[in-house]
Amino acid sequence: EAIVIDLGGLDYLDSAGTRTLHRLAALAQAERRALRLVAPPSSTARRVLDLVGMADAVPVDDDLATAVAASGP
């Protein structure tokens, strides 16, 4: 079962938030669960995720429908 987190509504994402997402990714992997993040291309969250290279560790989708569809059954 996948975990999908929609960050599109965030106005602010700092280093504590990105650290938490990295930890969650590690925990999900340990539990053999997929983690996907949603951040529209023009959002603040997407800019921060791109800056810290989060997409190298966790898939980042443009919208919730895409993330859910990619999560499987």
Side-chain angles (χ1 to χ4, degrees):
E1 194 171 306
I3 301 166
V4 176
I5 300 176
D6 188 348
L7 304 172
L10 292 181
D11 293 327
Y12 182 76
L13 181 62
D14 65 2
S15 61
T18 58
R19 248 189 334 268
T20 299
L21 292 171
H22 273 289
R23 282 191 208 131
L24 182 57
L27 290 170
Q29 184 177 14
E31 295 289 326
R32 299 180 194 265
R33 296 177 71 180
L35 173 65
R36 299 190 79 85
L37 303 176
V38 176
S42 62
S43 69
T44 298
R46 184 60 160 266
R47 287 190 295 276
V48 172
L49 295 175
D50 288 346
L51 182 67
V52 300
M54 182 68 80
D56 295 337
V58 178
V60 180
D61 296 299
D62 293 346
D63 58 69
L64 187 57
T66 302
V68 170
S71 297

